[in-house]
Amino acid sequence: MSRSPLASGHREGLIPPAVRRAIRRKLLRWYDRNKRDLPWRRRAADPYAQWVAEIMLQQTRVETVIGYYERFIRSYPTLAALARARHGEVLKYWEGLGYYRRILHLHQAARALCEQNAVVPDTVEGLCRLPGIGEYTAAAIASIAFGRREPAVDGNVARVLARLFGVALDIRSPEGKRRLRSLAEQLIPRSRPGDFNQAWMDLGSSICTPKAPACHECPLNTNCEAFVARTVDHLPLRSSLKKVKQVRAVVGVFLNGGRMLLRRRPTGGLWSGLWEFPNAEVTDSCQEADLLQELALDCGMSLRDEPTQAALVEHRLTHRHITFFVYVASVGNRRSSTKPTFRWVTKQSMARLSISTAHRRIHSAAKSAIENAKPGHG
Ligand code: SF4
């Protein structure tokens, strides 16, 4: 039976040099044969391209990111091009990706760097000073674009390391994170650190998957403590995530003269700067019907007819599960909503605005009720 990779230096958590060399060699060889052809990998030395890709990849699957990345980079091929763009226009390229604070930060950082005539920082410390860049993203950019010897440990890499070295610590605990970080630091090679980080990422997403990892195809299986000890199914140890909050919200699709009313969300926070149908959270003390009246009044209008309950839309976010109760209602006096945060739109003009996936879904779920509603007049 193979020995644990830490066998001779276990107490100090040190990986013996021969094991380090073997893991590096095997992993890089596997990567050279199996690496995914991803558009940002064709611009490996371009820190801006790596930055865009890494920000998009936060919380989003690679397959989803590819199309978004290609469209974004075609429209904003350089940091300066992104800095010059209007925020509403940039948001359009992010629509559907979710977690809109990411694009807000990326755009702010691009503008700030260009105002100072600066370039993308080439160190983890410098990158971490930019909004929206944490340690993992900084290490990925610094290693891939600048060849810095910085280990990038995200959830995927943490899982592989915990199994490979049989780390029986909660990988979300400070101690677990310290141990994994130390292992990653010992392993990262001087040459090709960017490829090495990407090799971990690919191994974690294609072979050492959360469920049913393909250990028999894994280039590291003879070095893997969990594989040898048959504990793969028990690792990594992970404390449960924050509880998901259940939220109920009333949505008013207000119609007048063949147009629908949208309002713009404030900058910062969830769905920052996107357009949406007016909505409000349901609390124990207020009824849906009263809320709808209040929403209309907030928008400077009154309900003309009994609203139609048009749809119920469930939307899941990482820490929130929202149930939208969607009502369609004709309202009077379209001109009263003249604030810049409101806009009356047709179906066609709505397509040109940046709208969250949740509200696009609300629109399509309420479509027949919208089409059958009595035409009001402005
Ligand atoms: S042998 Fe299995 S558990 Fe170990 S690193 Fe490879 S895929 Fe993961």
Side-chain angles (χ1 to χ4, degrees):
M1 185 186 276
S2 301
R3 299 173 69 213
S4 154
L6 293 187
S8 63
H10 196 269
R11 201 170 296 167
E12 300 81 20
L14 292 177
I15 310 169
V19 176
R20 272 185 242 173
R21 283 196 296 275
I23 290 176
R24 288 173 187 155
R25 192 185 62 247
K26 290 179 190 178
L27 191 56
L28 281 170
R29 196 192 301 147
W30 175 84
Y31 180 68
D32 289 339
R33 288 180 189 153
N34 298 283
K35 72 176 169 197
R36 290 174 291 181
D37 178 27
L38 301 171
W40 48 92
R41 287 188 175 165
R42 294 175 218 139
R43 292 175 62 158
D46 177 350
Y48 166 70
Q50 297 312 313
W51 183 6
V52 171
E54 286 301 331
I55 296 295
M56 284 187 171
L57 286 164
Q58 290 170 2
Q59 319 273 355
T60 312
R61 294 169 58 80
V62 169
E63 297 71 31
T64 309
V65 165
I66 293 173
Y68 279 92
Y69 169 87
E70 286 177 330
R71 282 190 293 277
F72 194 93
I73 284 287
R74 212 177 299 129
S75 297
Y76 310 113
T78 61
L79 191 67
L82 176 60
R84 278 195 302 270
R86 285 188 308 114
H87 191 62
E89 180 195 307
V90 174
L91 260 183
K92 199 76 194 114
Y93 289 88
W94 209 270
E95 195 184 302
L97 262 185
Y99 303 97
Y100 294 92
R101 204 177 298 186
R102 296 181 295 177
I103 181 58
L104 179 70
H105 285 156
L106 176 62
H107 197 204
Q108 277 174 348
R111 284 181 167 175
L113 285 173
C114 286
E115 272 164 24
Q116 299 157 19
N117 287 325
V119 291
V120 180
D122 65 354
T123 61
V124 164
E125 298 70 34
L127 285 160
C128 279
R129 279 197 282 274
L130 296 174
I133 296 193
E135 230 175 79
Y136 167 80
T137 305
I141 299 168
S143 63
I144 298 168
F146 299 112
R148 297 226 174 242
R149 197 180 170 202
E150 296 283 358
V153 183
D154 69 348
N156 266 323
V157 178
R159 178 176 63 253
V160 184
L161 288 171
R163 288 173 175 166
L164 188 58
F165 293 97
V167 176
L169 294 169
D170 175 355
I171 61 168
R172 294 201 176 111
S173 68
E175 202 191 343
K177 284 183 182 165
R178 255 197 310 277
R179 176 73 65 83
L180 297 174
R181 166 110 204 143
S182 154
L183 293 168
E185 276 172 355
Q186 293 176 63
L187 287 168
I188 187 113
R190 262 178 233 292
S191 79
R192 303 182 64 194
D195 283 350
F196 193 72
N197 277 334
Q198 291 178 97
W200 280 132
M201 295 170 199
D202 281 12
L203 191 79
S205 59
S206 63
I207 301 272
C208 195
T209 48
K211 286 188 187 139
C215 296
H216 290 284
E217 294 167 33
C218 177
L220 305 179
N221 56 15
T222 54
N223 299 94
C224 179
E225 183 150 331
F227 179 63
V228 171
R230 296 173 194 265
T231 55
V232 174
D233 292 342
H234 305 289
L235 292 175
L237 301 182
R238 198 192 318 244
S239 55
S240 59
L241 279 171
K242 262 208 292 192
K243 261 181 90 181
V244 175
K245 190 179 170 200
Q246 304 290 330
V247 176
R248 291 179 301 144
V250 162
V251 181
V253 179
F254 297 136
L255 305 173
N256 188 292
R259 289 172 185 257
M260 298 167 282
L261 182 67
L262 294 183
R263 73 175 180 198
R264 191 173 208 164
R265 289 187 68 89
T267 308
L270 184 65
W271 297 323
S272 164
L274 296 187
W275 292 92
E276 65 178 12
F277 293 106
N279 62 90
E281 197 171 320
V282 180
T283 59
D284 291 339
S285 60
C286 54
Q287 300 297 313
E288 288 170 32
D290 296 340
L291 261 182
L292 203 64
Q293 279 286 4
E294 275 178 36
L295 266 180
L297 290 173
D298 278 353
C299 301
M301 296 162 315
S302 56
L303 299 180
R304 264 190 187 155
D305 305 305
E306 190 63 23
T308 309
Q309 183 160 16
L312 196 145
V313 175
E314 305 275 351
H315 196 75
R316 287 172 193 277
L317 300 164
T318 314
H319 300 304
R320 228 183 282 197
H321 178 182
I322 312 175
T323 306
F324 291 108
F325 298 90
V326 185
Y327 288 85
V328 170
S330 294
V331 290
N333 193 10
R334 190 166 91 200
R335 279 172 290 277
S336 60
S337 293
T338 51
K339 293 185 207 163
T341 46
F342 287 109
R343 193 177 286 184
W344 286 98
V345 297
T346 59
K347 201 166 89 182
Q348 290 72 20
S349 59
M350 188 177 165
R352 292 192 291 274
L353 293 177
S354 300
I355 294 168
S356 68
T357 306
H359 282 259
R360 290 247 182 248
R361 290 182 58 215
I362 287 168
H363 180 237
S364 64
K367 210 164 155 192
S368 65
I370 295 170
E371 281 162 10
N372 294 330
K374 283 189 205 157
H377 295 285

